[in-house]
Amino acid sequence: MNETLRLLCYWIGLALLTAATVSIAGGARPPWPQLGVIALAVAKAWLIIDGFMELRRAPRAWRLLLLAWPFAMAAGVLLAGYLPGR
């Protein structure tokens, strides 16, 4: 696939995920909007890491390290929501 077309597809994917995030955030009752937004944020991070940073062909350790970061942040956000005193 042409490099420009591939990047355009990634960009369209990111735009669609952003639109889905906005539509979810204004809809249902908690905790579903938060879970949906977090899941979409992880998906966007995956697209950025694999597509724009072009790490899909990088050494496995680098790719796993960078893909672990959005999952760690999502877990931190979810855990912070269940802390007492909130």
Side-chain angles (χ1 to χ4, degrees):
M1 182 184 295
N2 182 349
E3 182 72 16
T4 304
L5 181 60
R6 187 182 61 78
L7 288 176
L8 181 63
C9 289
Y10 280 116
W11 184 85
I12 290 170
L14 288 171
L16 290 173
L17 288 171
T18 300
T21 302
V22 171
S23 69
I24 286 175
R29 300 180 62 142
W32 299 113
Q34 291 89 350
L35 294 174
V37 167
I38 290 170
L40 290 171
V42 169
K44 287 170 67 174
W46 195 314
L47 274 178
I48 290 168
I49 290 166
D50 274 357
F52 290 107
M53 295 175 73
E54 297 186 2
L55 287 176
R56 66 188 167 282
R57 290 187 288 266
R60 180 167 280 202
W62 280 110
R63 188 168 181 242
L64 290 176
L65 184 67
L66 281 169
L67 288 173
W69 181 251
F71 286 103
M73 290 293 97
V77 167
L78 289 173
L79 288 175
Y82 292 107
L83 290 177
R86 238 189 118 209

